[in-house]
Amino acid sequence: MISTTRVPADKPVRIAFSLNDASDDTPPEDSIPLVFPELDQQLQPLPPCHDSAESMQVFKQHCQIAEEYHEVKKEIALLEERKKELIAKLDQAEKEKVDAAQLVREFEALTEENRTLKLAQAQCVEQLEKLRIQYQKRQGSS
C-alpha cells in the first residue's frame, strides 16, 4: 500500500516503499491520492501493479524522476529570484553610475565657475587698489 503526505514545496521529498508491502485491499487507482501534488496530472507517477516487480521498479524510477524534477523546479525558482535580485542591483549600480557622472559634470562646472569668480575677484581687488591710489593722489594734490 502507498501512503502519501502533502509537503510544502520548499521541503525535500523522500519516498519510501517496499516491494513486499503489497496487500490485497489495494484501493482502486482513482482513489489513490497524488504522490507529488505539485506535479501536473500528466506527470504524476501512475500507481504500480503490486503483483509485478517490474511495475514497482518503474514506479520507483518514476518517483525518483519526479523528485528530481521537483528539486530542479525549486532550484530554477531560486535562480530566477537571484536573477531578479542581481538585475535590481545592476539597475541600481547603473543609476548610481549615471548619478556619479552627473555629479562629476556638476563638480567640473562649479570648479570652472569658482575659478572664474576668483579671477573676477582678483581683478576687482586690483582695480579697487588702483582707484584707492588715484583717490589718494587727488587728496594729496588738493
Side-chain angles (χ1 to χ4, degrees):
M1 168 157 259
I2 299 172
S3 63
T4 62
T5 307
R6 193 173 282 269
V7 294
D10 62 337
K11 300 289 182 193
V13 178
R14 297 286 176 241
I15 300 171
F17 57 91
S18 168
L19 296 177
N20 298 328
D21 199 19
S23 65
D24 292 336
D25 60 321
T26 303
E29 289 184 14
D30 293 342
S31 68
I32 295 178
L34 300 177
V35 178
F36 295 92
E38 69 280 349
L39 286 179
D40 294 337
Q41 182 65 34
Q42 72 267 16
L43 299 177
Q44 290 290 323
L46 297 175
C49 175
H50 296 287
D51 298 334
S52 168
E54 182 181 5
S55 176
M56 292 299 290
Q57 184 61 33
V58 168
F59 178 74
K60 181 179 177 183
Q61 288 173 348
H62 196 163
C63 288
Q64 289 171 341
I65 291 169
E67 185 176 341
E68 290 173 13
Y69 177 78
H70 173 71
E71 291 298 318
V72 168
K73 280 186 74 172
K74 190 166 68 171
E75 188 173 344
I76 288 171
L78 291 172
L79 290 172
E80 297 239 347
E81 186 61 34
R82 179 72 176 135
K83 176 184 169 184
K84 287 178 188 176
E85 291 171 6
L86 291 173
I87 288 173
K89 282 185 179 180
L90 179 62
D91 289 345
Q92 182 64 28
E94 287 176 356
K95 183 180 181 294
E96 289 172 0
K97 184 178 177 182
V98 168
D99 290 348
Q102 176 65 28
L103 289 173
V104 166
R105 286 190 297 273
E106 288 179 24
F107 177 78
E108 289 170 352
L110 290 172
T111 301
E112 179 60 25
E113 183 180 356
N114 189 22
R115 188 189 65 77
T116 304
L117 290 172
K118 284 181 178 181
L119 182 61
Q121 180 204 19
Q123 290 172 348
C124 288
V125 166
E126 185 180 319
Q127 188 177 10
L128 179 62
E129 191 59 36
K130 286 180 183 177
L131 289 173
R132 280 186 186 152
I133 292 172
Q134 286 177 358
Y135 180 74
Q136 287 174 355
K137 285 183 181 178
R138 284 187 194 162
Q139 289 293 333
S141 55
S142 10

